[in-house]
Amino acid sequence: MNARTSLTALAAAAALLASASAMAQGAKLKVGLMLPYTGTYAALGVAIENGFRLYLAEQGGKIGGREVEFSKVDDESDPAKATENVNKLIKRDGVDVLIGTVHSGVAMAMAKAAKDNNVLLIVPNAGADAVTGPMCGNNIYRSSFSNWQPGYATGEVMAKKGIKKAVTITWKYAAGDESVKGFKEAFEKGGGSVVKELTLPFPNVEFQALLTEIAAIKPDAVYTFFAGGGAVKFVKDYDAAGLKKSIPLYGSGFLTDGTLEAQGASADGLFTALHYGDSLDNAKDKSFRLAYAKTYKLQPDVYAVQGYDAAQILGIGLNAVKGDVSKKAEFAAAVEKAKIDSPRGAFTLSKAHNPVQDMYLRQVVGKENKVVGIASKSLADPARGCKG
Ligand code: BEZ
């Protein structure tokens, strides 16, 4: 054993002892919520926390037999502040588990810190493909999707509709890039071609010049990834520019999820693909929507579902290890064999801990993302070099 491995072994033994003694004293489970509470993704962060807390309340306030104490950090969807922010939770507050976040760039920094410090991390939104690829491990889980998944499903839908020539438009960062990559893969496989890839920096919403370019190119359709406040503005601007009637707009479902009140008639009729929708006919979704509406006086969206399912994953793992977060291998074994009873429909996690799930085709009807079909059945993210 060299000096470095013996130090790692010592640190692991110390963590085990600390965890055993905290458990023996009935210590609360420290949950660190790192989410955006300001900026274009603020509403997404709130919905995730609401969903997480709803599951906790249904369990009588305990997970894995332990009461929960929260620490919270607003990550502002700012990758430049991410390492400092996650260290507030890990080093200052000594959390047992990290729940976060929405933005892919911030999530990558969280995954690195979780790995370096061997802290449990459950990602309740950010789709950064690498989190459940090369960054995977028995302390890293995702309750949401990989960026590739909804992009790929929408590409299949558009190709099947016979669309041949598309333009893509998105924010220039991991989520936009990877979403477009997934879209292109399926769309080109189905006979389509992408004639122009337009981008603007995150979280800019000055779309006018790009919309003028789309009007000049005249593609058969447009594929887009935007979410939160940016998605609201994009859908309204697309309509106001007169493009909605002549060039059909498609997107991964974030384009219209949690945004319909603000988008109004501009969103009417839009087709998107996502792992959730507003008219699913399953018992879990019915009870979830009822409880969510009663508790928060709001309708849930995909982000609320992902927060709820992050808490479910934590519960499944922690029940198996009787609340002892140091038992990462046993935690992983329990979660890997579980079927998670989600409002989106039951799903399992891949070996790399990303959901294997149905992607629904949805159409906006009034204030609903109405499910009109299955875009891709049991869609698994491609293997991305996860060594486990
Ligand atoms: C992301 O950055 O991964 C992301 C943000 C909002 C919605 C979906 C994905």
Side-chain angles (χ1 to χ4, degrees):
M1 201 187 274
N2 64 28
R4 194 165 168 194
T5 29
S6 58
L7 272 179
T8 313
L10 266 176
L16 220 76
L17 272 175
S19 153
S21 106
M23 296 263 310
Q25 290 158 30
K28 288 187 176 172
L29 181 78
K30 291 188 184 173
V31 174
L33 295 178
M34 181 156 149
L35 293 165
Y37 295 104
T38 52
T40 199
Y41 289 159
L44 288 60
V46 171
I48 288 168
E49 180 174 344
N50 286 348
F52 191 96
R53 285 185 186 269
L54 181 62
Y55 181 77
L56 182 61
E58 287 174 3
Q59 306 309 303
K62 287 188 177 178
I63 291 199
R66 296 173 71 178
E67 280 179 19
V68 172
E69 175 183 304
F70 287 101
S71 295
K72 280 170 65 164
V73 167
D74 174 8
D75 67 37
E76 304 169 47
S77 296
D78 186 349
K81 297 181 186 162
T83 301
E84 190 189 332
N85 278 332
V86 71
N87 279 328
K88 286 183 194 157
L89 295 172
I90 297 176
K91 304 223 159 108
R92 181 193 66 192
D93 300 343
V95 299
D96 297 303
V97 55
L98 288 163
I99 305 294
T101 186
V102 168
H103 184 287
S104 276
V106 178
M108 285 299 286
M110 291 185 79
K112 179 167 185 326
K115 252 194 156 16
D116 291 349
N117 295 281
N118 197 26
V119 174
L120 207 50
L121 166 67
I122 304 178
V123 179
N125 183 70
D129 291 342
V131 166
T132 51
M135 303 291 287
C136 79
N138 67 9
N139 63 326
I140 298 185
Y141 300 84
R142 182 149 55 197
S143 64
S144 51
F145 57 90
S146 73
N147 288 322
W148 178 92
Q149 283 176 310
Y152 188 88
T154 315
E156 284 190 312
V157 166
M158 288 172 67
K160 276 191 199 135
K161 282 192 187 264
I163 296 165
K164 292 290 173 220
K165 198 172 99 172
V167 166
T168 64
I169 177 166
T170 187
W171 280 313
K172 183 82 204 136
Y173 83 103
D177 292 346
E178 293 171 356
S179 173
V180 165
K181 199 161 169 226
F183 161 72
K184 257 179 99 172
E185 188 183 327
F187 186 59
E188 291 179 352
K189 213 188 281 174
S193 71
V194 173
V195 293
K196 185 92 189 180
E197 295 181 35
L198 300 170
T199 60
L200 72 170
F202 175 86
N204 284 12
V205 289
E206 299 312 319
F207 300 118
Q208 215 47 56
L210 299 174
L211 293 176
T212 305
E213 215 175 323
I214 291 172
I217 297 170
K218 296 194 181 59
D220 299 334
V222 166
Y223 170 78
T224 188
F225 164 84
F226 290 110
V232 171
K233 173 101 175 8
F234 183 77
V235 165
K236 291 183 104 162
D237 285 4
Y238 197 86
D239 187 22
L243 294 177
K244 192 178 165 205
K245 288 183 276 329
S246 51
I247 306 173
L249 176 64
Y250 291 81
S252 58
F254 310 108
L255 188 67
T256 56
D257 227 83
T259 54
L260 291 177
E261 284 294 337
Q263 286 164 334
S266 294
D268 260 351
L270 295 184
F271 284 100
T272 62
L274 202 63
H275 48 287
Y276 189 60
D278 290 320
S279 53
L280 287 171
D281 193 20
N282 73 61
K284 183 71 183 179
D285 191 45
K286 282 187 185 136
S287 63
F288 168 77
R289 291 184 79 93
L290 217 63
Y292 194 93
K294 201 169 152 206
T295 308
Y296 301 111
K297 316 286 176 255
L298 280 172
Q299 287 305 314
D301 56 19
V302 70
Y303 309 105
V305 171
Q306 293 168 173
Y308 185 86
D309 290 341
Q312 288 213 72
I313 289 172
L314 183 61
I316 290 165
L318 280 188
N319 281 337
V321 296
K322 303 203 169 31
D324 185 349
V325 286
S326 70
K327 295 189 171 158
K328 305 279 191 307
E330 295 93 325
F331 183 105
V335 174
E336 282 170 15
K337 65 172 197 281
K339 197 164 185 185
I340 296 145
D341 186 17
S342 169
R344 77 189 80 174
F347 71 90
T348 54
L349 289 183
S350 67
K351 202 76 195 127
H353 302 159
N354 191 66
V356 178
Q357 55 194 340
D358 292 346
M359 290 282 147
Y360 303 105
L361 174 62
R362 307 115 46 90
Q363 185 176 28
V364 176
V365 179
K367 294 287 174 279
E368 283 205 342
N369 284 292
K370 197 170 170 2
V371 173
V372 293
I374 304 269
S376 291
K377 186 92 196 131
S378 302
L379 188 64
D381 193 55
R384 295 182 190 279
C386 168
K387 304 238 163 39

